[in-house]
Amino acid sequence: MSATPWISLTTDYGLADGFVAACHGVIARLAPTVRVIDVTHLVPPADVRRGAAVLAQTVPYLPVGVHVAVVDPGVGTARRGVALATPGGLLVGPDNGLLPDAAGALGGVTAAVRLAEPRWLAERVSATFHGRDVFAPVAARLALGAPLAEAGPPVDPDGLVRLPTPTLIADDEGFTAEVLTVDHFGNVQVAASAHLLDGLPAELRVGPPGAEPTRTAVRGRTFGDAPADGLVVYVDSAGLVAVAVNGGRAVDLLRVAPGDVLRVSG
């Protein structure tokens, strides 16, 4: 493949330690002309679903390049390290469900390999830091144009680990959907596409199914469509249904977390 002088990094490493800098340093040593975009390093520790959502919702807006993602509670175990080719770029990371949604957002997996070529890895691979010793050096070589096939043996894309399909149940009065993510502002994104709001009234009820009392919300386009401290149900920038509080945090009001379900109804 041709050189792709961009690498993005998405991890749960945090900012208090030297983990991110070490990955940057490995890339800079091997590929000093490649530019690195830090998507985030504040994915909640070991929250693979959150990392997958952030990655999938961000990569379509990044330059074509090599996208490294490391949210890897199984580091050092039998889980595979993989690199995936798509029409919109390459993805590198653990085979634990973190990458397939992003691959879909970039056009789907066209080829996949298991990262098994020793010459592409650090001389000594730590059992607990594959971001530095496996994924960063592989990404640097791919960004310089090295062929994907040289990174290791092929993998059947259908055999990649995928996260469970999130809960979504629609009916005539609304829908019940799993909470996918909660962003920095406390906005709650659920696994429901925008069309599920079609036909619902301007005033909605929101809350965990079966719980009383549910909260009243307005169906809106922006946060300002709700009164101060009021709930608004809207379509977020990823095209999914979300719930926000105008001037507050919906996650605190609704008392939900990723993996819980919310009922939205007329």
Side-chain angles (χ1 to χ4, degrees), residues 165-179:
T165 302
T167 299
L168 175 61
I169 302 170
D171 54 50
D172 292 340
E173 297 181 351
F175 55 88
T176 300
E178 185 173 332
V179 175

Side-chain angles (χ1 to χ4, degrees), residues 185-187 223 226-232 243-251 253:
F185 300 100
N187 303 324
F223 309 123
D229 299 321
L231 276 173
V232 57
V243 186
V245 169
N246 182 9
R249 294 175 58 82
V251 67
L253 187 65

Side-chain angles (χ1 to χ4, degrees), residues 76-121:
T77 69
R79 75 96 185 94
R80 301 178 295 189
V82 293
L84 315 179
T86 77
L90 297 164
L91 293 155
V92 175
D95 181 23
N96 64 359
L98 183 62
L99 305 180
D101 287 350
L106 293 174
V109 179
T110 57
V113 300
R114 178 170 59 89
L115 304 179
E117 172 50 62
R119 293 175 299 176
W120 282 47
L121 312 180

Side-chain angles (χ1 to χ4, degrees), residues 50 88 187 241:
R50 171 66 174 164
N187 303 324
V241 175

Side-chain angles (χ1 to χ4, degrees), residues 30-43:
L30 294 172
T33 61
V34 170
R35 299 172 70 180
V36 178
I37 296 174
D38 291 291
V39 176
T40 182
H41 300 291
L42 298 177
V43 174

Side-chain angles (χ1 to χ4, degrees), residues 116-147:
E117 172 50 62
R119 293 175 299 176
W120 282 47
L121 312 180
E123 183 177 351
R124 296 180 180 177
V125 175
S126 165
T128 59
F129 198 179
H130 285 190
R132 178 194 66 194
D133 297 341
V134 177
F135 304 132
V138 165
R141 287 171 170 81
L142 291 173
L144 291 175

Side-chain angles (χ1 to χ4, degrees), residues 171-197:
D171 54 50
D172 292 340
E173 297 181 351
F175 55 88
T176 300
E178 185 173 332
V179 175
L180 290 181
T181 69
V182 177
D183 69 16
H184 171 73
F185 300 100
N187 303 324
V188 177
Q189 181 193 71
V190 299
S193 299
H195 76 275
L196 290 176
L197 292 177

